[in-house]
Structure formats: structure tokens, C-alpha cells
Amino acid sequence: MKKTLLFLLLTLFFIKGINAQKLPSFDADLGKKSVFGQEIRIPYLDVVSYFGYIKEGSVPDEQRDGKKYYYLYLWIPVAAPEIGIRMVSPIPSYLSPGKEDFVMEDYSANFNERKKYFDTWISFERADVITNDSNFVANAKSANWKMYAQNDDTGDLPAQPSGKKYNSQMRISSETSNPSKALVMGLYRIGFTTYKTGEVQGSFIAQIGSVVKLPGIKIAKDLESLKAAMDGK
Ligand SMILES: [Ca+2]
């Protein structure tokens, strides 16, 4: 009896310990309710993670409004009613990639430097490319991109080592009445840079949350790698 109790207490302690070693739950807007003045949200059903690192002297994918922009390309294989995007820098020491997670080569190569961080700023855009065929990369390179949303800071995520809550998070709802802002199947990209004009350097974790399962979702730092991943190579 005593042993059982001890076991239960230890298990509880262990579970609580694990829960304390996680990012906050990534909750959806969809189905949000207010009960007795308290906001209740349901966590995203599917959350995929990308572990990355931008090293010193990296060449950005683009200069936009004087800012050094990097992209993560996403293939979203099914239409989604809502998608959440968040980015945390640096990657907290208690997080490491799981089997399902996407990992950038530079993340593993710069593992010892993972405490370096930047003030994240993110955007989410969709390309007018909706089919995966042999022209995918060429089509994607000349695609038109539609801006869906941008975010600089959120109070929902842990503070950066500076003590400032400068990490980023946003939720995007599919606008069914406006086809140009619908979350249809196709090619998307998360743009990221730093709030102040300057160098983007350090480790980051990007997460994509969805209220529906996204089987076959792929994330990659360039279009060629994305195409290879989409083709299962
Ligand atoms: Ca920020």
C-alpha cells in the first residue's frame, strides 16, 4: 500500500516535471469560448516543429524593407480552417527534436552555440502554386505571394534571455468568403527576420499548429529541399 502511494506520488512528480519542461500549449482561436469570464481554448490537434540555426555571416534569402529575411517553405497538403505559427529564440535547452520534427543542418552543426538568439519577427504568405509537378521549383521561384499575417511580439510565449517577451505568434483563419485569403492546399512560406534592422543570428524553433491533421506536411529552408521532401527523397 505504502509502495503504491509512493509510486503514485513519484509518477505525479515526474509528470509535473515533464509538463514544466515544455513550451506553453499552442491553442487555437477556433472553438474559443468564454466561460464565467474565463477564456477557454482548445490546443491545436497537430503541431509540427522545425529546429533551426542561423549562423554568423549567413546570406539572407532576401532583403525586404532594409531587413534581412529568411524563409521556411511549407507544403500544406490539405485545406485547413485555421493555422497557428509561432517562433521562439533561442531554443530552450529542455527542447530537442523528436522523430517527426524537421531539423536544419545548421542546427546540429552549431549545437554548442544554441544559446544565441534574436528578437523574432514572422510573416506568413501563400504562393499561387498549388500543384506538385515537375515544374514545381521553377513555378515556385516565379510565384506571386500573398501576405496573410505578420507578428513581432507575443506575451503568450516565454521571455527571451533578455527578460523581454519578444518571441512571435499568430493565428490565421481561413477566409471562406474571400478565396484569396483561404488556407487551401499549396505552397506557403514563413518569413522571419529580426525586429530591429540588423543581423539574424542564433537558434530558433518554429511551430505550425493546425486544427485538422496535416498528413504529409513538409517544411524546408529552400525550394529544392522542399520538392525533394514532397517527393519522398
Ligand atoms: Ca519580436
Side-chain angles (χ1 to χ4, degrees):
M1 186 65 187
K2 265 192 179 164
K3 263 191 179 165
T4 317
L5 190 65
L6 185 67
F7 178 73
L8 272 175
L9 280 173
L10 276 174
T11 310
L12 265 176
F13 183 75
F14 190 61
I15 290 170
K16 273 193 173 292
I18 286 178
N19 283 341
Q21 301 285 292
K22 267 184 170 177
L23 288 176
S25 163
F26 198 5
D27 300 334
D29 260 346
L30 197 80
K32 182 175 72 177
K33 285 193 179 90
S34 184
V35 180
F36 299 121
Q38 187 123 19
E39 191 179 86
I40 296 178
R41 287 170 181 270
I42 302 160
Y44 283 116
L45 180 70
D46 208 6
V47 177
V48 289
S49 301
Y50 183 96
F51 287 74
Y53 187 87
I54 303 294
K55 59 186 176 194
E56 196 180 353
S58 292
V59 180
D61 293 319
E62 203 178 328
Q63 296 265 3
R64 261 169 102 159
D65 307 323
K67 287 180 190 242
K68 292 176 178 175
Y69 248 72
Y70 292 85
Y71 293 116
L72 292 178
Y73 293 95
L74 269 89
W75 177 253
I76 298 185
V78 291
E82 181 187 321
I83 274 177
I85 314 271
R86 62 184 186 177
M87 183 176 279
V88 172
S89 178
I91 300 175
S93 56
Y94 53 80
L95 284 184
S96 53
K99 253 201 315 206
E100 306 290 310
D101 295 336
F102 297 89
V103 182
M104 192 171 151
E105 233 168 69
D106 280 343
Y107 165 77
S108 311
N110 295 280
F111 188 80
N112 294 333
E113 302 288 316
R114 64 186 245 157
K115 283 190 176 153
K116 290 193 174 153
Y117 69 98
F118 56 98
D119 173 356
T120 62
W121 185 100
I122 55 172
S123 65
F124 189 63
E125 296 165 282
R126 178 168 68 84
D128 51 1
V129 176
I130 52 164
T131 38
N132 176 21
D133 55 20
S134 55
N135 295 323
F136 177 81
V137 173
N139 290 343
K141 283 189 174 165
S142 58
N144 295 305
W145 293 89
K146 175 106 187 167
M147 181 64 75
Y148 274 47
Q150 308 172 339
N151 182 259
D152 179 12
D153 303 330
T154 178
D156 287 356
L157 286 167
Q160 296 192 308
S162 60
K164 307 277 191 199
K165 293 204 162 188
Y166 283 169
N167 286 311
S168 312
Q169 174 175 280
M170 56 197 180
R171 301 178 181 93
I172 301 134
S173 292
S174 194
E175 290 179 25
T176 38
S177 58
N178 178 3
S180 74
K181 284 280 188 89
L183 293 167
V184 293
M185 167 185 170
L187 173 66
Y188 293 78
R189 69 184 177 189
I190 298 170
F192 64 97
T193 181
T194 183
Y195 170 65
K196 287 193 183 120
T197 308
E199 293 304 319
V200 177
Q201 196 201 339
S203 71
F204 66 89
I205 178 169
Q207 291 188 315
I208 296 100
S210 170
V211 292
V212 294
K213 279 272 173 201
L214 300 175
I217 185 172
K218 300 292 176 209
I219 312 170
K221 69 172 176 45
D222 57 63
L223 291 160
E224 288 81 4
S225 318
L226 185 73
K227 171 69 176 157
M230 286 158 70
D231 293 345
K233 284 175 189 157

mmCIF file of all heavy atoms in Angstrom, residues 25-34 39-45 81-85 149 154 156 169-174 183 209-212:
data_model
loop_
_atom_site.group_PDB
_atom_site.id
_atom_site.type_symbol
_atom_site.label_atom_id
_atom_site.label_comp_id
_atom_site.label_asym_id
_atom_site.label_seq_id
_atom_site.Cartn_x
_atom_site.Cartn_y
_atom_site.Cartn_z
ATOM 1 N N SER A 25 1.137 25.380 -24.050
ATOM 2 C CA SER A 25 0.234 24.742 -25.003
ATOM 3 C C SER A 25 -0.072 25.714 -26.147
ATOM 4 O O SER A 25 -0.256 26.904 -25.931
ATOM 5 C CB SER A 25 -1.043 24.367 -24.243
ATOM 6 O OG SER A 25 -2.076 24.119 -25.135
ATOM 7 N N PHE A 26 -0.101 25.185 -27.370
ATOM 8 C CA PHE A 26 -0.369 26.025 -28.542
ATOM 9 C C PHE A 26 -1.859 25.895 -28.844
ATOM 10 O O PHE A 26 -2.312 24.881 -29.365
ATOM 11 C CB PHE A 26 0.494 25.545 -29.706
ATOM 12 C CG PHE A 26 0.648 26.553 -30.818
ATOM 13 C CD1 PHE A 26 0.137 27.832 -30.719
ATOM 14 C CD2 PHE A 26 1.347 26.213 -31.974
ATOM 15 C CE1 PHE A 26 0.301 28.760 -31.743
ATOM 16 C CE2 PHE A 26 1.518 27.122 -33.007
ATOM 17 C CZ PHE A 26 0.994 28.400 -32.889
ATOM 18 N N ASP A 27 -2.617 26.918 -28.464
ATOM 19 C CA ASP A 27 -4.079 26.839 -28.506
ATOM 20 C C ASP A 27 -4.683 27.590 -29.693
ATOM 21 O O ASP A 27 -4.197 28.644 -30.080
ATOM 22 C CB ASP A 27 -4.660 27.399 -27.205
ATOM 23 C CG ASP A 27 -4.181 26.623 -25.990
ATOM 24 O OD1 ASP A 27 -3.846 25.436 -26.141
ATOM 25 O OD2 ASP A 27 -4.136 27.213 -24.894
ATOM 26 N N ALA A 28 -5.771 27.035 -30.186
ATOM 27 C CA ALA A 28 -6.427 27.581 -31.379
ATOM 28 C C ALA A 28 -7.396 28.710 -31.034
ATOM 29 O O ALA A 28 -7.863 28.825 -29.894
ATOM 30 C CB ALA A 28 -7.170 26.463 -32.094
ATOM 31 N N ASP A 29 -7.708 29.531 -32.026
ATOM 32 C CA ASP A 29 -8.788 30.511 -31.921
ATOM 33 C C ASP A 29 -10.133 29.818 -32.100
ATOM 34 O O ASP A 29 -11.107 30.146 -31.450
ATOM 35 C CB ASP A 29 -8.654 31.551 -33.053
ATOM 36 C CG ASP A 29 -8.001 32.832 -32.574
ATOM 37 O OD1 ASP A 29 -7.902 33.029 -31.349
ATOM 38 O OD2 ASP A 29 -7.579 33.631 -33.435
ATOM 39 N N LEU A 30 -10.134 28.842 -33.039
ATOM 40 C CA LEU A 30 -11.365 28.146 -33.407
ATOM 41 C C LEU A 30 -11.928 27.405 -32.190
ATOM 42 O O LEU A 30 -11.205 26.692 -31.504
ATOM 43 C CB LEU A 30 -11.066 27.133 -34.520
ATOM 44 C CG LEU A 30 -12.263 26.623 -35.290
ATOM 45 C CD1 LEU A 30 -12.691 27.646 -36.340
ATOM 46 C CD2 LEU A 30 -11.927 25.309 -35.990
ATOM 47 N N GLY A 31 -13.203 27.578 -31.941
ATOM 48 C CA GLY A 31 -13.836 26.894 -30.816
ATOM 49 C C GLY A 31 -13.574 27.572 -29.483
ATOM 50 O O GLY A 31 -13.926 27.055 -28.438
ATOM 51 N N LYS A 32 -12.962 28.766 -29.520
ATOM 52 C CA LYS A 32 -12.667 29.509 -28.293
ATOM 53 C C LYS A 32 -13.979 29.887 -27.596
ATOM 54 O O LYS A 32 -14.922 30.328 -28.239
ATOM 55 C CB LYS A 32 -11.878 30.764 -28.677
ATOM 56 C CG LYS A 32 -11.455 31.626 -27.531
ATOM 57 C CD LYS A 32 -10.571 32.765 -28.019
ATOM 58 C CE LYS A 32 -11.359 33.817 -28.802
ATOM 59 N NZ LYS A 32 -10.509 34.951 -29.205
ATOM 60 N N LYS A 33 -14.014 29.699 -26.289
ATOM 61 C CA LYS A 33 -15.235 30.007 -25.542
ATOM 62 C C LYS A 33 -14.897 30.858 -24.341
ATOM 63 O O LYS A 33 -13.788 30.806 -23.829
ATOM 64 C CB LYS A 33 -15.880 28.707 -25.041
ATOM 65 C CG LYS A 33 -16.580 27.902 -26.102
ATOM 66 C CD LYS A 33 -17.429 26.823 -25.427
ATOM 67 C CE LYS A 33 -18.176 26.011 -26.472
ATOM 68 N NZ LYS A 33 -17.427 24.854 -26.936
ATOM 69 N N SER A 34 -15.887 31.591 -23.903
ATOM 70 C CA SER A 34 -15.708 32.325 -22.662
ATOM 71 C C SER A 34 -16.674 31.746 -21.633
ATOM 72 O O SER A 34 -17.878 31.745 -21.847
ATOM 73 C CB SER A 34 -15.984 33.812 -22.900
ATOM 74 O OG SER A 34 -15.714 34.522 -21.729
ATOM 75 N N GLU A 39 -11.399 32.715 -20.551
ATOM 76 C CA GLU A 39 -11.249 32.259 -21.938
ATOM 77 C C GLU A 39 -10.754 30.816 -21.973
ATOM 78 O O GLU A 39 -9.764 30.485 -21.327
ATOM 79 C CB GLU A 39 -10.248 33.169 -22.642
ATOM 80 C CG GLU A 39 -10.204 32.968 -24.124
ATOM 81 C CD GLU A 39 -9.201 33.925 -24.774
ATOM 82 O OE1 GLU A 39 -8.017 33.567 -24.822
ATOM 83 O OE2 GLU A 39 -9.633 35.013 -25.209
ATOM 84 N N ILE A 40 -11.495 29.975 -22.692
ATOM 85 C CA ILE A 40 -11.091 28.569 -22.807
ATOM 86 C C ILE A 40 -10.765 28.268 -24.262
ATOM 87 O O ILE A 40 -11.580 28.531 -25.157
ATOM 88 C CB ILE A 40 -12.204 27.636 -22.299
ATOM 89 C CG1 ILE A 40 -12.428 27.892 -20.807
ATOM 90 C CG2 ILE A 40 -11.848 26.162 -22.542
ATOM 91 C CD1 ILE A 40 -13.525 27.078 -20.196
ATOM 92 N N ARG A 41 -9.570 27.754 -24.473
ATOM 93 C CA ARG A 41 -9.141 27.435 -25.840
ATOM 94 C C ARG A 41 -8.737 25.968 -25.921
ATOM 95 O O ARG A 41 -8.249 25.387 -24.950
ATOM 96 C CB ARG A 41 -7.909 28.254 -26.219
ATOM 97 C CG ARG A 41 -8.162 29.715 -26.477
ATOM 98 C CD ARG A 41 -6.812 30.407 -26.600
ATOM 99 N NE ARG A 41 -6.932 31.833 -26.829
ATOM 100 C CZ ARG A 41 -7.005 32.391 -28.028
ATOM 101 N NH1 ARG A 41 -6.964 31.644 -29.104
ATOM 102 N NH2 ARG A 41 -7.099 33.688 -28.165
ATOM 103 N N ILE A 42 -8.913 25.403 -27.087
ATOM 104 C CA ILE A 42 -8.520 24.013 -27.317
ATOM 105 C C ILE A 42 -7.168 24.005 -28.029
ATOM 106 O O ILE A 42 -6.970 24.769 -28.971
ATOM 107 C CB ILE A 42 -9.582 23.301 -28.182
ATOM 108 C CG1 ILE A 42 -10.942 23.363 -27.480
ATOM 109 C CG2 ILE A 42 -9.192 21.858 -28.477
ATOM 110 C CD1 ILE A 42 -12.118 23.133 -28.393
ATOM 111 N N PRO A 43 -6.234 23.145 -27.587
ATOM 112 C CA PRO A 43 -4.932 23.103 -28.255
ATOM 113 C C PRO A 43 -5.074 22.628 -29.708
ATOM 114 O O PRO A 43 -5.996 21.887 -30.035
ATOM 115 C CB PRO A 43 -4.139 22.053 -27.462
ATOM 116 C CG PRO A 43 -4.881 21.861 -26.190
ATOM 117 C CD PRO A 43 -6.315 22.216 -26.454
ATOM 118 N N TYR A 44 -4.157 23.080 -30.555
ATOM 119 C CA TYR A 44 -4.130 22.594 -31.937
ATOM 120 C C TYR A 44 -3.974 21.075 -31.925
ATOM 121 O O TYR A 44 -3.213 20.520 -31.122
ATOM 122 C CB TYR A 44 -2.976 23.224 -32.709
ATOM 123 C CG TYR A 44 -3.253 24.652 -33.120
ATOM 124 C CD1 TYR A 44 -2.493 25.700 -32.629
ATOM 125 C CD2 TYR A 44 -4.272 24.943 -34.025
ATOM 126 C CE1 TYR A 44 -2.739 27.017 -33.011
ATOM 127 C CE2 TYR A 44 -4.530 26.253 -34.414
ATOM 128 C CZ TYR A 44 -3.768 27.285 -33.902
ATOM 129 O OH TYR A 44 -4.019 28.582 -34.282
ATOM 130 N N LEU A 45 -4.682 20.427 -32.841
ATOM 131 C CA LEU A 45 -4.657 18.974 -32.932
ATOM 132 C C LEU A 45 -3.291 18.491 -33.422
ATOM 133 O O LEU A 45 -2.761 17.490 -32.968
ATOM 134 C CB LEU A 45 -5.758 18.529 -33.907
ATOM 135 C CG LEU A 45 -5.910 17.039 -34.147
ATOM 136 C CD1 LEU A 45 -6.458 16.375 -32.888
ATOM 137 C CD2 LEU A 45 -6.853 16.785 -35.323
ATOM 138 N N PRO A 81 -8.913 24.985 -41.779
ATOM 139 C CA PRO A 81 -9.753 26.101 -41.329
ATOM 140 C C PRO A 81 -8.936 27.156 -40.581
ATOM 141 O O PRO A 81 -9.251 28.332 -40.616
ATOM 142 C CB PRO A 81 -10.747 25.451 -40.367
ATOM 143 C CG PRO A 81 -10.541 23.974 -40.470
ATOM 144 C CD PRO A 81 -9.203 23.732 -41.075
ATOM 145 N N GLU A 82 -7.876 26.706 -39.881
ATOM 146 C CA GLU A 82 -7.059 27.656 -39.112
ATOM 147 C C GLU A 82 -5.660 27.090 -38.938
ATOM 148 O O GLU A 82 -5.487 25.881 -38.753
ATOM 149 C CB GLU A 82 -7.662 27.901 -37.729
ATOM 150 C CG GLU A 82 -6.845 28.902 -36.902
ATOM 151 C CD GLU A 82 -7.318 29.034 -35.452
ATOM 152 O OE1 GLU A 82 -8.531 29.028 -35.194
ATOM 153 O OE2 GLU A 82 -6.434 29.130 -34.583
ATOM 154 N N ILE A 83 -4.690 27.996 -38.980
ATOM 155 C CA ILE A 83 -3.301 27.595 -38.775
ATOM 156 C C ILE A 83 -2.671 28.582 -37.803
ATOM 157 O O ILE A 83 -2.969 29.782 -37.846
ATOM 158 C CB ILE A 83 -2.558 27.553 -40.141
ATOM 159 C CG1 ILE A 83 -2.799 26.176 -40.782
ATOM 160 C CG2 ILE A 83 -1.070 27.821 -39.989
ATOM 161 C CD1 ILE A 83 -2.189 26.019 -42.128
ATOM 162 N N GLY A 84 -1.837 28.061 -36.909
ATOM 163 C CA GLY A 84 -1.100 28.922 -35.987
ATOM 164 C C GLY A 84 0.385 28.789 -36.283
ATOM 165 O O GLY A 84 0.852 27.706 -36.648
ATOM 166 N N ILE A 85 1.100 29.899 -36.176
ATOM 167 C CA ILE A 85 2.551 29.879 -36.398
ATOM 168 C C ILE A 85 3.192 30.541 -35.191
ATOM 169 O O ILE A 85 2.721 31.602 -34.756
ATOM 170 C CB ILE A 85 2.953 30.726 -37.633
ATOM 171 C CG1 ILE A 85 2.077 30.457 -38.837
ATOM 172 C CG2 ILE A 85 4.451 30.595 -37.925
ATOM 173 C CD1 ILE A 85 2.494 29.378 -39.733
ATOM 174 N N ALA A 149 -0.391 37.330 -42.810
ATOM 175 C CA ALA A 149 -0.281 37.903 -41.466
ATOM 176 C C ALA A 149 1.179 38.092 -41.079
ATOM 177 O O ALA A 149 2.076 37.499 -41.686
ATOM 178 C CB ALA A 149 -0.963 36.976 -40.455
ATOM 179 N N THR A 154 4.730 38.439 -28.749
ATOM 180 C CA THR A 154 3.561 37.894 -28.064
ATOM 181 C C THR A 154 3.873 37.712 -26.583
ATOM 182 O O THR A 154 5.004 37.387 -26.226
ATOM 183 C CB THR A 154 3.141 36.540 -28.665
ATOM 184 O OG1 THR A 154 2.024 36.048 -27.917
ATOM 185 C CG2 THR A 154 4.240 35.493 -28.570
ATOM 186 N N ASP A 156 2.296 35.432 -24.980
ATOM 187 C CA ASP A 156 1.908 34.042 -24.718
ATOM 188 C C ASP A 156 3.095 33.095 -24.620
ATOM 189 O O ASP A 156 2.946 31.951 -24.212
ATOM 190 C CB ASP A 156 0.993 33.513 -25.837
ATOM 191 C CG ASP A 156 -0.403 34.118 -25.760
ATOM 192 O OD1 ASP A 156 -0.659 34.865 -24.797
ATOM 193 O OD2 ASP A 156 -1.215 33.850 -26.654
ATOM 194 N N GLN A 169 4.067 34.996 -32.378
ATOM 195 C CA GLN A 169 2.986 34.013 -32.559
ATOM 196 C C GLN A 169 1.810 34.642 -33.286
ATOM 197 O O GLN A 169 1.487 35.805 -33.063
ATOM 198 C CB GLN A 169 2.522 33.533 -31.180
ATOM 199 C CG GLN A 169 1.305 32.614 -31.214
ATOM 200 C CD GLN A 169 0.966 32.081 -29.828
ATOM 201 O OE1 GLN A 169 1.581 31.158 -29.345
ATOM 202 N NE2 GLN A 169 -0.008 32.693 -29.178
ATOM 203 N N MET A 170 1.177 33.880 -34.165
ATOM 204 C CA MET A 170 -0.042 34.379 -34.806
ATOM 205 C C MET A 170 -0.952 33.215 -35.187
ATOM 206 O O MET A 170 -0.499 32.087 -35.336
ATOM 207 C CB MET A 170 0.289 35.224 -36.034
ATOM 208 C CG MET A 170 1.138 34.539 -37.067
ATOM 209 S SD MET A 170 1.838 35.779 -38.182
ATOM 210 C CE MET A 170 2.767 34.744 -39.282
ATOM 211 N N ARG A 171 -2.226 33.525 -35.308
ATOM 212 C CA ARG A 171 -3.214 32.537 -35.736
ATOM 213 C C ARG A 171 -3.915 33.103 -36.956
ATOM 214 O O ARG A 171 -4.293 34.275 -36.959
ATOM 215 C CB ARG A 171 -4.230 32.275 -34.626
ATOM 216 C CG ARG A 171 -3.609 31.772 -33.326
ATOM 217 C CD ARG A 171 -4.686 31.578 -32.278
ATOM 218 N NE ARG A 171 -4.160 31.122 -30.997
ATOM 219 C CZ ARG A 171 -3.823 31.934 -30.004
ATOM 220 N NH1 ARG A 171 -3.942 33.240 -30.139
ATOM 221 N NH2 ARG A 171 -3.365 31.433 -28.875
ATOM 222 N N ILE A 172 -4.054 32.252 -37.971
ATOM 223 C CA ILE A 172 -4.660 32.705 -39.221
ATOM 224 C C ILE A 172 -5.878 31.840 -39.509
ATOM 225 O O ILE A 172 -5.769 30.612 -39.560
ATOM 226 C CB ILE A 172 -3.650 32.601 -40.378
ATOM 227 C CG1 ILE A 172 -2.418 33.458 -40.050
ATOM 228 C CG2 ILE A 172 -4.268 33.040 -41.696
ATOM 229 C CD1 ILE A 172 -1.123 32.793 -40.312
ATOM 230 N N SER A 173 -7.022 32.494 -39.692
ATOM 231 C CA SER A 173 -8.234 31.755 -40.036
ATOM 232 C C SER A 173 -8.435 31.800 -41.539
ATOM 233 O O SER A 173 -8.186 32.819 -42.169
ATOM 234 C CB SER A 173 -9.444 32.390 -39.364
ATOM 235 O OG SER A 173 -9.350 32.194 -37.986
ATOM 236 N N SER A 174 -8.896 30.688 -42.069
ATOM 237 C CA SER A 174 -9.205 30.624 -43.484
ATOM 238 C C SER A 174 -10.436 31.482 -43.742
ATOM 239 O O SER A 174 -11.450 31.315 -43.073
ATOM 240 C CB SER A 174 -9.501 29.171 -43.860
ATOM 241 O OG SER A 174 -9.498 29.016 -45.240
ATOM 242 N N LEU A 183 -7.116 29.146 -46.662
ATOM 243 C CA LEU A 183 -5.960 28.278 -46.409
ATOM 244 C C LEU A 183 -6.135 26.992 -47.213
ATOM 245 O O LEU A 183 -6.464 25.937 -46.679
ATOM 246 C CB LEU A 183 -5.827 27.980 -44.910
ATOM 247 C CG LEU A 183 -5.471 29.179 -44.027
ATOM 248 C CD1 LEU A 183 -5.676 28.845 -42.557
ATOM 249 C CD2 LEU A 183 -4.033 29.629 -44.261
ATOM 250 N N GLY A 209 0.799 24.994 -36.001
ATOM 251 C CA GLY A 209 -0.297 24.280 -35.363
ATOM 252 C C GLY A 209 -1.502 24.271 -36.293
ATOM 253 O O GLY A 209 -1.724 25.233 -37.037
ATOM 254 N N SER A 210 -2.262 23.193 -36.253
ATOM 255 C CA SER A 210 -3.447 23.122 -37.101
ATOM 256 C C SER A 210 -4.594 22.453 -36.349
ATOM 257 O O SER A 210 -4.373 21.553 -35.550
ATOM 258 C CB SER A 210 -3.118 22.335 -38.370
ATOM 259 O OG SER A 210 -4.309 22.067 -39.079
ATOM 260 N N VAL A 211 -5.810 22.920 -36.655
ATOM 261 C CA VAL A 211 -6.993 22.325 -36.027
ATOM 262 C C VAL A 211 -7.388 21.018 -36.714
ATOM 263 O O VAL A 211 -8.236 20.296 -36.221
ATOM 264 C CB VAL A 211 -8.191 23.308 -35.996
ATOM 265 C CG1 VAL A 211 -7.919 24.456 -35.052
ATOM 266 C CG2 VAL A 211 -8.518 23.812 -37.390
ATOM 267 N N VAL A 212 -6.803 20.753 -37.874
ATOM 268 C CA VAL A 212 -7.003 19.443 -38.516
ATOM 269 C C VAL A 212 -5.628 18.801 -38.707
ATOM 270 O O VAL A 212 -4.614 19.492 -38.741
ATOM 271 C CB VAL A 212 -7.701 19.554 -39.898
ATOM 272 C CG1 VAL A 212 -9.121 20.062 -39.734
ATOM 273 C CG2 VAL A 212 -6.925 20.456 -40.850
#
